[in-house]
């Protein structure tokens, strides 16, 4: 197999497999009422200070309208809190509820275990090469998202 075919197959399969693994690992009995996309919205909201809708939409590369649909569902399910700004009532701030924080930590644990599992069989040199290659791949994807 040539380099192009090998890389193409690896990337296509990696993206699909990570999404499938993540869905199977994250959407457990406790979190069966949310989707993988919901979990990524929860991750974008994060544990820190509340964020406005525009900030979260930008992080996820979606429109505020698209995010509003997901947010309505997450509020209804009890994962997210929505509050109007004190200084500007037009601004809506989003934060995680206790249930949302638990889902966030559950998702974070999956990622921690995935990374530890990948790194355990790599040498320091292989780890450094993987990090450099993935960082360049990430830059390429990000540069093409903005076009």
């Amino acid at each position: 197999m040539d380099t192009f075919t090998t890389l193409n197959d690896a990337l296509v399969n990696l993206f699909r497999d990570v999404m499938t693994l993540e869905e199977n690992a994250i959407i457990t009995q406790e979190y069966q009422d949310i989707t993988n996309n919901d979990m990524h919205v929860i991750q974008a909201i994060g544990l820190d200070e509340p964020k406005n809708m525009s900030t979260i939409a930008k992080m996820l590369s979606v429109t505020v309208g698209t995010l509003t649909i997901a947010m309505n569902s997450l509020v209804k399910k009890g994962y997210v809190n929505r509050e109007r700004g004190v200084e500007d009532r037009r601004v809506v701030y989003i934060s995680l509820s206790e249930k949302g924080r638990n889902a966030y930590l559950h998702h974070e644990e999956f990622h921690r275990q995935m990374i530890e599992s990948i790194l355990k069989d790599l040498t320091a040199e292989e780890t450094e090469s993987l990090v450099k290659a993935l960082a360049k791949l990430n830059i390429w994807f990000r540069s093409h998202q903005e076009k």
Side-chain angles (χ1 to χ4, degrees), residues 43-45 51 54-62 142:
Q43 182 182 25
I45 296 167
K51 293 180 174 76
S54 298
T55 300
I56 299 165
K58 186 173 182 177
M59 291 171 69
L60 295 169
S61 300
V62 299
R142 299 241 176 231

Side-chain angles (χ1 to χ4, degrees), residues 12 36 74 80 106:
V12 169
N36 234 11
L74 288 169
V80 171
H106 176 68

Side-chain angles (χ1 to χ4, degrees), residues 110-134:
F110 164 76
H111 282 270
R112 188 191 60 73
Q113 288 177 6
M114 179 179 63
I115 298 301
E116 283 180 2
S117 180
I118 291 166
L119 294 179
K120 74 178 168 84
D121 295 325
L122 298 180
T123 65
E125 186 177 280
E126 289 169 328
T127 298
E128 185 179 339
S129 294
L130 179 62
V131 168
K132 284 180 182 177
L134 290 177

